[in-house]
Amino acid sequence: MIVRCIHNLFQTDVLVEGREYEVRAERDDCYIRSGFDKGFSKTRFEIVRACRSPSRGDAAGGHCNKLQ
């Protein structure tokens, strides 16, 4: 999934407001970014593209759709 940072307060050293990031996992109401083990609160982001996963039973697994 691709998310856009909408709030970087107290995380300006690792998050840039307006920048898009790839999410590799979700845990405890947090997104785990690619390259980080630390979770970032979901409230800091808006979803830009949701990817489908064959492990979740999606027919077109692996494809990302831009949300409108």
Side-chain angles (χ1 to χ4, degrees), residues 1-5 18-24 26 31 45-53 56 62-68:
M1 159 179 0
I2 305 297
V3 296
R4 180 179 297 116
C5 177
R19 183 174 288 174
E20 294 180 2
Y21 297 96
E22 181 181 359
V23 172
R24 68 175 170 93
E26 296 179 46
Y31 290 131
F45 302 95
E46 64 183 2
I47 297 173
V48 176
R49 279 173 280 189
C51 297
R52 297 179 181 168
S53 169
R56 286 187 263 165
H63 299 285
C64 291
N65 295 323
K66 189 170 185 171
L67 300 179
Q68 298 181 1

Side-chain angles (χ1 to χ4, degrees), residues 8-64:
N8 67 350
L9 187 64
F10 304 121
Q11 296 293 330
T12 56
D13 56 330
V14 291
L15 294 176
V16 176
E17 198 167 314
R19 183 174 288 174
E20 294 180 2
Y21 297 96
E22 181 181 359
V23 172
R24 68 175 170 93
E26 296 179 46
R27 181 174 59 223
D28 301 325
D29 207 29
C30 292
Y31 290 131
I32 311 299
R33 285 183 33 209
S34 296
F36 283 84
D37 289 329
K38 175 184 176 182
F40 295 92
S41 172
K42 289 181 178 182
T43 61
R44 294 181 179 278
F45 302 95
E46 64 183 2
I47 297 173
V48 176
R49 279 173 280 189
C51 297
R52 297 179 181 168
S53 169
S55 63
R56 286 187 263 165
D58 296 330
H63 299 285
C64 291

